[in-house]
Amino acid sequence: MDLPNVPRRVLGLTWREHIGGRWAVSAVGFAVTAPIAFHAVFINVQVFNPNELALWALASGSSLAVLGLLWWLASATVLNNRRTSPAPIVVVVLVGFLAGAIRSLIATTLTVELGLFPAPNGLGALLPARAAVGGIQGALGLPVLAMTLSLISRYRNERARLLMQLASVQQKRSEEAGAVQALRDALSGPVQTRLRELADRLGEDVSQISHIASDVRTQAHDLWSQTQEVGDPPRIRAWDVIRISLSVRPLPLSAIWVIWVPSAVLTLVARNGIGVALSQVLIGAVILSGVYLLGARVVQRFPRMGVLVLLAGTAIGGILSGLAMLVMVGGSLSDANMALIVVSTSWLLSVTLLVSLVEAAVRRSQQVLNEIESTIDADELALYSEQRARTELAHEVAGVLHGVVQGRLAIAQRSDSDSTALARQALDEGIERLAGPVVVGTSTAREVAEQVSAPWSALMEIDIAASEGELSGSQVRDVSDVLEECLSNAFRHGQATFVTISVQRVTDGWDLRIVSNGMSPSSDAVSGMGSSLFDSVSGGNWSRTAVDEGGCLVSVVVAGS
Amino acid sequence: MTSVLVVEDDSFVRATVTTALRFHGFDVVDSVGTSVEAMDAFREHLPDVALLDLDLGGGPTGADLAVGMRRLKPDLGIVFLTSFEDPRLLDSRLTNMPERCGYVVKQSLQDTEFLAAAIRGSDDPGEIPRVNLTESQAETLRLVAAGLSNAEIARIRVVEVSSVEKAIRRAANVLGIHADEAVNQRVALARAYYRMAGLGRGSA
């Protein structure tokens, strides 16, 4: 079946959601940018004079403060609603361009006015080129920075989600091994005993019902109140995300050719003219590419060396290319030129790091996620699983007391006749439910699809095609949730009368396709709880599209072997 | 005689309600507990009124059945029988309930005349009740009561954690639950939800 074009997603979000969302401009982003931008101004030092360092710092710091102010203004105006409605990428690019251009204008004006930087043809002749360089750097840098921070944030949440998923699987295993049943017995045993005592006390005395109801209510509330809420699973440290991403893709060539080359050309054109600048940058880019390719090979063999290779690769590449570019114009190893090489190299390091994280997410996100998953150790998982199981079971027991026993006791109290019989029935049902076993196990794809669709078959005709094979405990839950969401949406929003469900095993999990007739999904259906669920179970590998003849096709790949 | 189809997944309540309706002179054509049984019985009997439990425990809700039944019989009288003071407490997406529906809260069943009156007046029912919470607050409250953390709620609702915290604060204000060291606000909110969902009185 041909799928219409759907937005490309990285870790479950579109590029627009990454770049124009929460992280488009942020305090964290500024904290990352500040040191890079601060020392980038020093690239303009032509004659090294220690006495002028404070003035250079003043000019750089002032321009940086203005950059922060401009970001804040953008955050409060054109990017104000980005958390709920991501801004178009072009808006972020424009903000980056304007902020970068204005920062460069201020830095240039201050350095010229303070006598740090010569402007033989006057400040006016210098400013347009400087504004263009700063603007282009900002236009490229801000989206890349936003994308990087958004990806790190997604990865960090992803670990928490993985931990919850693994905990669910662990719970299922514990249930199969009888451990959860033992925990349940420990929690519900005293409650059952108490209910039996209350049943004995009841006798034929109608007046006892209200006391018993009160007792049951107190038990339920005690149980509920004593339940420790399970905290959010710990998120992975940002440093670990960086380390893992670098073990996958430490020295991407795109950092050189997409970011470094245009930026270097613009910087050098003002110094050496267009022809020389292009030649210099070409030679520099070729040397850098060679070093980066070599570094990538090293990391392929020794993934743990990702961080080291990034540092060494950018340092060696930056210095070699800087020296080569210097030799081309007959420059000497003066203090100023050394400073230029050092500053360019550290800038190269920052750019390479950001692009590396983005490339790792775009091209190898599953590999990164696998590495992140490996940071979850058995002790942490066991502790979290036990806490979750204990909380869920306590809620379950409290729910039986609240929802079943107390509800029926209330009806018994209001009944004109047979009150004590009804009350005894309420207590017996509570005891019976609390004594019931925890039911778990795997199911085939067809069984799951049939089980979920059975209640909906009363309202829609449902056709099921499923391949052979069993689903694991977590897959049963995920597939059930997706099917329930799709079926309810098809009936409620699509007014469907016919639905086809296909559940097919694929290499990395189960491919679910749900096609319904009726109305096509509205354009605002791309976000919402359904989307969140699909993201959660598929890691972003899903689509929802309109069918030509009316209706909707939802395609979701539920991951896991 | 008005014919009534009773759809209620709790066998105890189903039996009680059926007996009460017959006592009040209604012709209860069938009383069933699942959506499939409900639609089969409906097609067979085409009753005047359907008394539908809103929460059928998974799959279609009573509201979905109402929509399906009205497609077959547009003049069908519908009365929802539910423990929820507001349908949004069951599912935030139940904001667009079918038109012309009665709504009886199970807690009011101590007087079965009330139920009988709702069925007699199903051709001119009142408005669906609403508690004083926004949809976002009602949904957040439901998820808090389900034992989810703020981060989990944020993920499900596709909002920031700060928005969840805000919704919880506002819901607590609306419900008169104020920050108090002696009372865990989350527990108090869950109790309030349980009370409004008819799952108990919700107070210790």
Side-chain angles (χ1 to χ4, degrees), chain A residues 268 271-272 276-277 280 322-332 337:
Chain A
L268 292 173
R271 285 169 177 251
N272 307 326
V276 176
Q280 280 183 294
L323 288 174
M325 290 157 76
L326 193 62
V327 168
M328 281 184 71
V329 291
S332 64
N337 282 335

Side-chain angles (χ1 to χ4, degrees), chain A residues 97-127:
Chain A
F97 181 86
L98 282 174
I102 293 170
R103 177 189 154 272
S104 281
L105 287 177
I106 289 169
T108 306
T109 305
L110 285 174
T111 49
V112 169
E113 292 298 327
L114 290 169
L116 303 171
F117 191 74
N121 300 324
L123 187 60
L126 192 61
L127 288 180

Side-chain angles (χ1 to χ4, degrees), chain A residues 123-332:
Chain A
L123 187 60
L126 192 61
L127 288 180
R130 289 306 176 106
V133 174
I136 290 172
Q137 284 178 337
L140 288 170
L142 189 60
V144 172
L145 178 66
M147 182 78 184
T148 308
L149 293 175
S150 175
L151 288 170
I152 290 176
S153 173
R154 292 289 287 185
Y155 277 133
R156 296 187 69 198
N157 288 330
E158 201 63 16
R159 184 186 189 272
R161 192 182 71 79
L162 282 167
L163 182 56
M164 282 195 275
Q165 274 194 350
L166 289 171
S168 298
V169 174
Q170 179 102 335
Q171 267 176 263
K172 296 286 180 203
R173 286 190 193 130
S174 302
E175 285 164 7
E176 284 156 12
V180 171
Q181 186 64 49
L183 192 60
R184 191 175 190 273
D185 290 344
L187 274 168
S188 68
V191 178
Q192 290 178 58
T193 306
R194 182 66 184 153
L195 292 182
R196 285 193 193 94
E197 286 170 10
L198 293 173
D200 291 342
R201 194 205 295 174
L202 175 64
E204 295 302 321
D205 185 357
V206 177
S207 67
Q208 283 291 330
I209 298 178
S210 64
H211 300 303
I212 290 172
S214 170
D215 192 307
V216 168
R217 191 168 60 241
T218 305
Q219 283 187 73
H221 288 157
D222 285 349
L223 207 54
W224 182 274
S225 306
Q226 287 165 15
T227 304
Q228 292 291 316
E229 188 193 344
V230 181
D232 293 335
R235 300 204 308 165
I236 192 169
R237 290 179 305 174
W239 162 248
D240 286 326
V241 172
I242 293 170
R243 181 179 54 75
I244 290 168
S245 296
L246 289 178
S247 72
V248 172
R249 212 163 183 88
L251 295 170
L253 291 179
S254 53
I256 301 169
W257 294 97
V258 178
I259 308 278
W260 184 84
V261 165
S263 187
V265 168
L266 287 167
T267 305
L268 292 173
V269 160
R271 285 169 177 251
N272 307 326
I274 182 77
V276 176
L278 282 175
S279 310
Q280 280 183 294
V281 171
L282 186 62
I283 290 294
V286 168
I287 292 171
L288 277 175
S289 298
V291 173
Y292 275 32
L293 285 171
L294 187 63
R297 283 288 179 90
V298 173
V299 171
Q300 251 179 356
R301 286 203 63 179
F302 308 104
R304 286 173 181 275
M305 295 180 70
V307 177
L308 188 64
V309 166
L310 171 81
L311 294 172
T314 51
I316 295 169
I319 291 169
L320 284 181
S321 59
L323 288 174
M325 290 157 76
L326 193 62
V327 168
M328 281 184 71
V329 291
S332 64

Side-chain angles (χ1 to χ4, degrees), chain B residues 22-135:
Chain B
R22 286 190 173 132
F23 174 78
H24 284 283
F26 294 103
D27 172 22
V28 180
V29 293
D30 206 345
S31 59
V32 295
T34 67
S35 54
V36 174
E37 290 170 345
M39 291 308 293
D40 286 347
F42 183 78
R43 288 190 188 94
E44 183 183 344
H45 300 289
L46 290 177
D48 300 319
V49 179
L51 178 65
L52 301 169
D53 184 9
L54 204 53
D55 180 9
L56 292 168
T61 62
D64 294 319
L65 291 186
V67 171
M69 289 174 177
R70 279 262 173 85
R71 282 182 192 164
L72 299 173
K73 188 178 181 190
D75 63 342
L76 174 73
I78 290 170
V79 176
F80 290 113
L81 176 64
T82 174
S83 57
F84 292 86
E85 287 182 23
D86 179 334
R88 296 173 307 166
L89 293 168
L90 168 63
D91 185 337
S92 62
R93 287 169 289 189
L94 284 176
T95 49
N96 298 318
M97 297 281 282
E99 292 177 350
R100 297 178 287 112
C101 294
Y103 197 90
V104 174
V105 180
K106 287 179 186 173
Q107 293 86 311
S108 65
L109 279 184
Q110 69 267 38
D111 182 1
T112 52
E113 180 55 46
F114 188 77
L115 176 63
I119 290 185
R120 284 190 205 104
S122 63
D123 54 342
D124 184 22
E127 289 192 353
I128 301 289
R130 289 273 186 265
V131 296
N132 191 22
L133 293 170
T134 65
E135 276 150 36

